[in-house]
Amino acid sequence: MLTKVTTPESGGIDVFVGTTRNHSGGRNVTLLEYEAYEPMAIRVMEQIVTAARDTWPLQKVVLVHRLGNVPVGEASVVVAVSSAHRKEAFAACRFLIDTLKKEVPIWKREHFADGTVEWSGQRNPEIERHINDRQLKIGN
Amino acid sequence: MNVTVKLFSVARDLAGFSEQLVDLGRNSRAGAVLDYLSEHHPEFAGWRSSIRIAVNQEYVSYDHALHEGDEVAVIPPVSGG
């Protein structure tokens, strides 16, 4: 990643790495499982990079998101930015990861230590109950 | 009018399909997809405030006019990164 963004004109490189944390909402997590609306995810990531380039003078930008299972401690997403001066690199890197998390159509399922699996952010008991009921019926 | 409806994450789990060709009738707007899904799964009605819709891979408002052959994706709250 660092070689991809290093250029002779760059004075600073900022890299953000998102990793799977072992806890979420007070519960123990074993891994995160990511899926994406892939063609749109790529398109939105490109739009975010364009927005960053329109805002700050940047050299190189790399955004990578892993799909599938990402166990605790492993990296799921990397954002790397190079620029002539560090101020822009810091600002752009933060913007890129913050915006990726709000806009890119990627979803994660949290696998908990007790064996349960839930879509992140979906603490809607009514919907969970409905999905669980159907899964029980299919199991029978 | 026929559109391809694509569902993801919890929306897919709820409706039980990931992709389906759907006839939404004439002059439909993007929001009509949730109306269609609500017919079989009333829970979708309560989601209008948090679900986004994308047509041909661009986010649109619920009022966006659909066209024959559009790819309409139901986008629950994203959680990448």
Side-chain angles (χ1 to χ4, degrees):
Chain A
M1 208 62 62
L2 286 178
T3 18
K4 281 191 154 86
V5 295
T6 306
T7 70
E9 292 78 23
S10 298
I13 294 170
D14 198 10
V15 178
F16 172 81
V17 178
T19 56
T20 294
R21 193 178 56 238
N22 65 0
H23 62 278
S24 172
R27 300 158 70 191
N28 292 329
V29 171
T30 55
L31 66 88
L32 297 176
E33 182 192 349
Y34 289 94
E35 72 172 46
Y37 180 12
E38 286 186 48
M40 185 174 171
I42 302 279
R43 181 189 286 227
V44 175
M45 284 163 78
E46 286 170 350
Q47 288 167 350
I48 294 172
V49 172
T50 299
R53 286 191 177 281
D54 285 347
T55 309
W56 297 280
L58 304 173
Q59 287 289 303
K60 302 272 197 183
V61 180
V62 173
L63 293 189
V64 180
H65 201 300
R66 192 168 150 188
L67 298 179
N69 291 346
V70 183
V72 166
E74 293 189 25
S76 54
V77 60
V78 177
V79 175
V81 182
S82 58
S83 61
H85 302 281
R86 70 186 184 282
K87 186 170 158 188
E88 291 81 19
F90 277 129
C93 191
R94 174 161 216 140
F95 166 81
L96 288 161
I97 184 61
D98 284 355
T99 310
L100 183 153
K101 286 172 77 76
K102 282 197 299 219
E103 299 294 324
V104 178
I106 295 176
W107 298 268
K108 63 179 169 243
R109 249 195 280 233
E110 295 172 303
H111 290 241
F112 293 101
D114 64 359
T116 53
V117 180
E118 288 170 13
W119 290 104
S120 175
Q122 196 52 50
R123 294 253 69 185
N124 183 327
E126 193 192 308
I127 290 175
E128 278 171 17
R129 195 178 316 121
H130 181 96
I131 292 171
N132 289 337
D133 285 348
R134 172 156 357 96
Q135 284 171 350
L136 282 172
K137 281 193 205 129
I138 290 169
N140 285 339
Chain B
M1 121 206 346
N2 292 303
V3 298
T4 300
V5 174
K6 296 185 85 133
L7 303 182
F8 296 91
S9 85
V10 62
R12 181 187 64 236
D13 285 357
L14 192 55
F17 70 86
S18 59
E19 186 169 324
Q20 204 174 89
L21 198 60
V22 172
D23 184 356
L24 288 179
R26 294 173 55 180
N27 300 322
S28 286
R29 310 254 158 199
V33 171
L34 285 190
D35 295 333
Y36 168 82
L37 292 169
S38 301
E39 281 171 29
H40 302 283
H41 303 280
E43 296 86 349
F44 275 103
W47 269 3
R48 290 185 93 93
S49 56
S50 59
I51 280 192
R52 282 195 284 185
I53 296 180
V55 173
N56 303 330
Q57 301 166 25
E58 298 278 353
Y59 288 116
V60 299
S61 72
Y62 279 33
D63 286 334
H64 173 91
L66 297 176
H67 300 97
E68 179 78 23
D70 276 348
E71 178 173 292
V72 184
V74 173
I75 312 269
V78 301
S79 52

